PDB file of all heavy atoms in Angstrom:
ATOM      1  N   GLU A  93     -18.923  10.321 -11.710  1.00 94.00           N
ATOM      2  CA  GLU A  93     -18.811  10.849 -13.077  1.00 94.00           C
ATOM      3  C   GLU A  93     -18.644  12.351 -13.095  1.00 94.00           C
ATOM      4  O   GLU A  93     -18.328  12.935 -14.124  1.00 94.00           O
ATOM      5  CB  GLU A  93     -20.014  10.410 -13.919  1.00 94.00           C
ATOM      6  CG  GLU A  93     -21.372  10.711 -13.313  1.00 94.00           C
ATOM      7  CD  GLU A  93     -21.831  12.134 -13.546  1.00 94.00           C
ATOM      8  OE1 GLU A  93     -21.678  12.644 -14.663  1.00 94.00           O
ATOM      9  OE2 GLU A  93     -22.328  12.747 -12.584  1.00 94.00           O
ATOM     10  N   GLY A  94     -18.863  13.011 -11.952  1.00 93.00           N
ATOM     11  CA  GLY A  94     -18.449  14.396 -11.800  1.00 93.00           C
ATOM     12  C   GLY A  94     -19.494  15.464 -12.010  1.00 93.00           C
ATOM     13  O   GLY A  94     -19.265  16.619 -11.635  1.00 93.00           O
ATOM     14  N   THR A  95     -20.661  15.123 -12.610  1.00 96.00           N
ATOM     15  CA  THR A  95     -21.615  16.182 -12.951  1.00 96.00           C
ATOM     16  C   THR A  95     -22.981  16.030 -12.292  1.00 96.00           C
ATOM     17  O   THR A  95     -23.784  16.960 -12.346  1.00 96.00           O
ATOM     18  CB  THR A  95     -21.835  16.241 -14.475  1.00 96.00           C
ATOM     19  OG1 THR A  95     -22.442  15.015 -14.924  1.00 96.00           O
ATOM     20  CG2 THR A  95     -20.522  16.460 -15.202  1.00 96.00           C
ATOM     21  N   CYS A  96     -23.278  14.888 -11.672  1.00 97.00           N
ATOM     22  CA  CYS A  96     -24.596  14.699 -11.064  1.00 97.00           C
ATOM     23  C   CYS A  96     -24.719  15.557  -9.806  1.00 97.00           C
ATOM     24  O   CYS A  96     -23.738  16.126  -9.313  1.00 97.00           O
ATOM     25  CB  CYS A  96     -24.852  13.226 -10.752  1.00 97.00           C
ATOM     26  SG  CYS A  96     -23.978  12.593  -9.293  1.00 97.00           S
ATOM     27  N   ASP A  97     -25.947  15.653  -9.274  1.00 97.00           N
ATOM     28  CA  ASP A  97     -26.176  16.492  -8.097  1.00 97.00           C
ATOM     29  C   ASP A  97     -25.281  16.100  -6.931  1.00 97.00           C
ATOM     30  O   ASP A  97     -24.786  16.957  -6.186  1.00 97.00           O
ATOM     31  CB  ASP A  97     -27.640  16.378  -7.650  1.00 97.00           C
ATOM     32  CG  ASP A  97     -28.584  17.146  -8.551  1.00 97.00           C
ATOM     33  OD1 ASP A  97     -28.099  17.931  -9.385  1.00 97.00           O
ATOM     34  OD2 ASP A  97     -29.810  16.958  -8.411  1.00 97.00           O
ATOM     35  N   TYR A  98     -25.067  14.786  -6.750  1.00 97.00           N
ATOM     36  CA  TYR A  98     -24.287  14.313  -5.607  1.00 97.00           C
ATOM     37  C   TYR A  98     -22.812  14.664  -5.779  1.00 97.00           C
ATOM     38  O   TYR A  98     -22.147  15.079  -4.814  1.00 97.00           O
ATOM     39  CB  TYR A  98     -24.486  12.800  -5.432  1.00 97.00           C
ATOM     40  CG  TYR A  98     -25.948  12.438  -5.357  1.00 97.00           C
ATOM     41  CD1 TYR A  98     -26.578  11.773  -6.411  1.00 97.00           C
ATOM     42  CD2 TYR A  98     -26.721  12.794  -4.261  1.00 97.00           C
ATOM     43  CE1 TYR A  98     -27.921  11.467  -6.364  1.00 97.00           C
ATOM     44  CE2 TYR A  98     -28.070  12.496  -4.197  1.00 97.00           C
ATOM     45  CZ  TYR A  98     -28.665  11.834  -5.261  1.00 97.00           C
ATOM     46  OH  TYR A  98     -30.008  11.546  -5.217  1.00 97.00           O
ATOM     47  N   CYS A  99     -22.309  14.523  -6.986  1.00 97.00           N
ATOM     48  CA  CYS A  99     -20.899  14.878  -7.231  1.00 97.00           C
ATOM     49  C   CYS A  99     -20.655  16.362  -7.007  1.00 97.00           C
ATOM     50  O   CYS A  99     -19.706  16.748  -6.309  1.00 97.00           O
ATOM     51  CB  CYS A  99     -20.507  14.486  -8.651  1.00 97.00           C
ATOM     52  SG  CYS A  99     -20.308  12.706  -8.943  1.00 97.00           S
ATOM     53  N   VAL A 100     -21.509  17.212  -7.585  1.00 96.00           N
ATOM     54  CA  VAL A 100     -21.237  18.649  -7.506  1.00 96.00           C
ATOM     55  C   VAL A 100     -21.524  19.196  -6.110  1.00 96.00           C
ATOM     56  O   VAL A 100     -21.052  20.286  -5.759  1.00 96.00           O
ATOM     57  CB  VAL A 100     -22.043  19.437  -8.565  1.00 96.00           C
ATOM     58  CG1 VAL A 100     -21.646  18.993  -9.964  1.00 96.00           C
ATOM     59  CG2 VAL A 100     -23.547  19.300  -8.346  1.00 96.00           C
ATOM     60  N   SER A 101     -22.270  18.432  -5.280  1.00 95.00           N
ATOM     61  CA  SER A 101     -22.512  18.873  -3.907  1.00 95.00           C
ATOM     62  C   SER A 101     -21.433  18.390  -2.951  1.00 95.00           C
ATOM     63  O   SER A 101     -21.496  18.666  -1.753  1.00 95.00           O
ATOM     64  CB  SER A 101     -23.883  18.380  -3.422  1.00 95.00           C
ATOM     65  OG  SER A 101     -23.896  16.972  -3.297  1.00 95.00           O
ATOM     66  N   GLY A 102     -20.451  17.645  -3.483  1.00 95.00           N
ATOM     67  CA  GLY A 102     -19.333  17.199  -2.655  1.00 95.00           C
ATOM     68  C   GLY A 102     -19.445  15.785  -2.150  1.00 95.00           C
ATOM     69  O   GLY A 102     -18.551  15.316  -1.442  1.00 95.00           O
ATOM     70  N   ASN A 103     -20.515  15.082  -2.513  1.00 97.00           N
ATOM     71  CA  ASN A 103     -20.694  13.693  -2.078  1.00 97.00           C
ATOM     72  C   ASN A 103     -20.549  12.748  -3.270  1.00 97.00           C
ATOM     73  O   ASN A 103     -21.475  12.026  -3.641  1.00 97.00           O
ATOM     74  CB  ASN A 103     -22.063  13.519  -1.403  1.00 97.00           C
ATOM     75  CG  ASN A 103     -22.114  14.216  -0.065  1.00 97.00           C
ATOM     76  OD1 ASN A 103     -21.327  13.924   0.840  1.00 97.00           O
ATOM     77  ND2 ASN A 103     -23.031  15.165   0.079  1.00 97.00           N
ATOM     78  N   GLU A 104     -19.354  12.767  -3.835  1.00 96.00           N
ATOM     79  CA  GLU A 104     -19.103  12.032  -5.072  1.00 96.00           C
ATOM     80  C   GLU A 104     -19.285  10.525  -4.896  1.00 96.00           C
ATOM     81  O   GLU A 104     -19.603   9.815  -5.846  1.00 96.00           O
ATOM     82  CB  GLU A 104     -17.694  12.351  -5.581  1.00 96.00           C
ATOM     83  CG  GLU A 104     -17.430  11.919  -6.993  1.00 96.00           C
ATOM     84  CD  GLU A 104     -16.180  12.552  -7.579  1.00 96.00           C
ATOM     85  OE1 GLU A 104     -15.698  13.555  -7.021  1.00 96.00           O
ATOM     86  OE2 GLU A 104     -15.687  12.031  -8.595  1.00 96.00           O
ATOM     87  N   LEU A 106     -21.645   9.080  -3.670  1.00 97.00           N
ATOM     88  CA  LEU A 106     -23.060   8.769  -3.880  1.00 97.00           C
ATOM     89  C   LEU A 106     -23.490   8.953  -5.330  1.00 97.00           C
ATOM     90  O   LEU A 106     -24.689   8.935  -5.630  1.00 97.00           O
ATOM     91  CB  LEU A 106     -23.931   9.655  -2.977  1.00 97.00           C
ATOM     92  CG  LEU A 106     -23.688   9.547  -1.472  1.00 97.00           C
ATOM     93  CD1 LEU A 106     -24.564  10.544  -0.720  1.00 97.00           C
ATOM     94  CD2 LEU A 106     -23.948   8.127  -0.977  1.00 97.00           C
ATOM     95  N   CYS A 107     -22.548   9.099  -6.226  1.00 97.00           N
ATOM     96  CA  CYS A 107     -22.810   9.367  -7.644  1.00 97.00           C
ATOM     97  C   CYS A 107     -23.831   8.391  -8.234  1.00 97.00           C
ATOM     98  O   CYS A 107     -23.861   7.203  -7.887  1.00 97.00           O
ATOM     99  CB  CYS A 107     -21.498   9.274  -8.419  1.00 97.00           C
ATOM    100  SG  CYS A 107     -21.669   9.553 -10.201  1.00 97.00           S
ATOM    101  N   VAL A 108     -24.662   8.895  -9.150  1.00 95.00           N
ATOM    102  CA  VAL A 108     -25.663   8.050  -9.799  1.00 95.00           C
ATOM    103  C   VAL A 108     -25.024   7.045 -10.750  1.00 95.00           C
ATOM    104  O   VAL A 108     -25.642   6.040 -11.108  1.00 95.00           O
ATOM    105  CB  VAL A 108     -26.694   8.902 -10.557  1.00 95.00           C
ATOM    106  CG1 VAL A 108     -27.473   9.779  -9.591  1.00 95.00           C
ATOM    107  CG2 VAL A 108     -26.025   9.765 -11.630  1.00 95.00           C
TER     108      VAL A 108
END
Side-chain angles (χ1 to χ4, degrees):
E93 52 82 43
T95 64
C96 76
D97 285 349
Y98 307 109
C99 287
V100 298
S101 67
N103 290 301
E104 194 165 343
L106 301 177
C107 179
V108 296

